[in-house]
Amino acid sequence: MTSDLTENAARAHFETLYEYRPTGVWSAPGRVNLIGEHTDYNEGFVLPFAINRRTFAAVSLRQDNICRVASSFEPTVHQIELDAISRDAVGDWAAYPFGVAWALQQATAGNFTGFDIFIDSDVPVGAGLSSSAAIECAVAVALNELWSLGLDRRALARVGQHAENAIVGAPTGIMDQSASLLGETDHGVFLDCRDLAAQVVELGFAKEGLELLIIDTKVAHRHADGGYASRRAACELGAAALGVGSLRELTAQDLPRAAELLDATTFARVRHVVTENQRVLDTVETLRTLGPRFIGELMHASHVSMRDDFEISVDELDTAVETALKHGAIGARMTGGGFGGAAIALTPVAKISEVTLAVLAEFEALHYTKPDIFVVSAAPGATREE
Ligand code: GLA
């Protein structure tokens, strides 16, 4: 689902600011991860979906090599020359679009020129819904087309990840960009992060009278900070100690040996990844055979594993999950990289208001910041709007 308002807003803002008409408007969605957390950079499995919150990029190429980006989030027009883009030269949110322009040039040969971009978005920032991947993917599909590069969606996902790793400085995996590029209405993207083989899996929430609630705790997270990187490092340490290229190669049968060889913390990190990979496979199988009403226990087991073994939850996320479950959600878990952001709660339509009111009341009683609670549905991936 796209929003005409935002698409038109991006175009109108572009015209007001740059005083000419953009060549086109491209859009890409945020994502929510149904299950499979911190498995992507371990070459494992994930099951995210693109959501009906989108970023719109109005874009034109220029004759010279000046690159300008502006947005409705803040008044600055960020400007740089195309060949000057580097990690030190760009900062703030502009690192995402400029990083993509840089990564596209690294990925392929082309006749690259500067550009003007205006970005508008209704993907909440800092909620763990990948507002950053939405920017990257909207800009990636736009420049891929305007620079006539012909990269396919998997290559564009790699471009977004490269931008984020090398220019933004966040050591994130490939999940967010893949979901934003490959999503489909009412379907999850079941992705094997080793080779980016993707299958869409019907979610069937609406048919079963279910909605997916987002509970944005408003606890800010940033993956360029230390927590995410240290979890990734622990996984790499564990894989090396166990003699495998990635944790993807392990199954539950390897855990007793891992427990003997690894220190307790590294073992707990490894156990999360190994069991989470299996939960993704089980969730896909359950969705295909029994339907979404039967995935609740897997979701909760995923949350417990992130809370206790991977230690990336925070009190607000735990409260959101447990309160939602107590008041009628079928399954709930924190989603995204952790250390803040959002929880998801798969909830029967008839229970939405009870769950919402209960979470609001519990947060108030505990003097937490008021959360933002809303429903999302699975929407199509990045596209050209006009
Ligand atoms: C962030 C990263 C993803 C992934 C998740 C955790 O969203 O961008 O690559 O690692 O955290 O599953």
Side-chain angles (χ1 to χ4, degrees):
M1 188 172 82
T2 58
S3 143
D4 284 347
L5 196 70
T6 318
E7 177 197 331
N8 290 333
R11 171 179 291 284
H13 282 124
F14 182 106
E15 287 186 33
T16 308
L17 181 68
Y18 299 125
E19 297 182 329
Y20 69 98
R21 283 178 69 75
T23 303
V25 178
W26 287 258
S27 77
R31 68 96 188 92
V32 74
N33 190 14
L34 190 58
I35 198 158
E37 224 66 82
H38 288 263
T39 44
D40 60 353
Y41 56 77
N42 289 299
E43 300 199 340
F45 303 106
V46 291
L47 183 59
F49 62 84
I51 58 173
N52 54 334
R53 298 285 190 113
R54 299 184 84 82
T55 291
F56 295 82
V59 187
S60 281
L61 293 185
R62 298 168 56 95
Q63 306 286 326
D64 56 19
N65 71 346
I66 305 273
C67 306
R68 296 189 291 181
V69 296
S71 76
S72 47
F73 344 121
E74 46 106 34
T76 319
V77 180
H78 300 263
Q79 180 170 327
I80 194 163
E81 293 196 6
L82 191 55
D83 47 14
I85 299 171
S86 71
R87 180 153 168 191
D88 296 331
V90 298
D92 203 8
W93 71 270
Y96 297 107
F98 288 150
V100 164
W102 173 88
L104 283 169
Q105 293 175 82
Q106 303 293 310
T108 185
N111 182 19
F112 303 109
T113 60
F115 50 79
D116 289 330
I117 298 182
F118 192 94
I119 283 173
D120 204 355
S121 179
D122 66 357
V123 186
V125 174
L129 298 177
S130 286
S131 54
S132 49
I135 296 176
E136 289 159 10
C137 295
V139 170
V141 289
L143 292 178
N144 184 46
E145 185 177 331
L146 292 173
W147 281 340
S148 304
L149 302 178
L151 295 174
D152 67 17
R153 299 240 154 183
R154 280 173 186 75
L156 291 178
R158 296 263 185 232
V159 159
Q161 183 192 17
H162 195 195
E164 196 151 330
N165 294 168
I167 301 296
V168 179
T172 44
I174 194 74
M175 169 172 72
D176 307 339
Q177 295 82 3
S178 303
S180 183
L181 287 158
L182 300 173
E184 286 182 19
T185 305
D186 198 31
H187 284 74
V189 180
F190 171 39
L191 189 73
D192 182 339
C193 298
R194 181 154 64 186
D195 55 7
L196 295 195
Q199 295 171 41
V200 289
V201 178
E202 189 180 357
L203 297 171
F205 294 162
K207 264 198 302 209
E208 292 289 333
L210 302 171
E211 297 261 36
L212 196 87
L213 267 185
I214 303 287
I215 304 164
D216 175 5
T217 63
K218 302 279 183 179
V219 179
H221 72 288
R222 266 175 44 84
H223 298 325
D225 293 341
Y228 186 97
S230 82
R231 295 308 183 278
R232 186 167 179 157
C235 292
E236 281 160 13
L237 185 77
L242 294 163
V244 289
S246 74
L247 295 183
R248 148 68 176 273
E249 291 167 43
L250 304 178
T251 67
Q253 286 176 339
D254 298 301
L255 289 176
R257 184 171 69 93
E260 275 173 27
L261 283 173
L262 303 175
D263 66 85
T265 304
T266 309
F267 172 66
R269 308 297 189 243
V270 168
R271 181 166 58 187
H272 165 72
V273 174
V274 170
T275 57
E276 185 78 350
N277 272 328
Q278 188 59 48
R279 282 187 288 271
V280 176
L281 298 176
D282 292 347
T283 302
V284 169
E285 180 66 14
T286 304
L287 283 170
R288 284 178 172 155
T289 53
L290 300 170
R293 284 191 171 263
F294 295 86
I295 66 171
E297 279 178 24
L298 290 162
M299 291 174 73
H300 191 234
S302 168
H303 182 78
V304 169
S305 179
M306 285 187 282
R307 184 190 67 199
D308 299 346
D309 275 354
F310 222 59
E311 295 183 279
I312 54 171
S313 191
V314 295
D315 290 346
E316 287 84 345
L317 287 167
D318 295 341
T319 299
V321 165
E322 299 312 326
T323 309
L325 288 172
K326 204 159 108 196
H327 289 270
I330 282 175
R333 59 184 285 277
M334 53 151 283
T335 186
F339 308 101
I344 54 176
L346 186 60
T347 308
V349 174
K351 293 280 184 182
I352 294 279
S353 58
E354 182 181 337
V355 168
T356 304
L357 292 173
V359 172
L360 286 171
E362 193 65 20
F363 270 55
E364 195 175 349
L366 292 165
H367 305 291
Y368 295 161
T369 303
K370 187 176 176 198
D372 207 1
I373 306 180
F374 51 94
V375 161
V376 292
S377 56
T383 187
R384 182 170 183 160
E385 295 288 337
E386 60 173 293

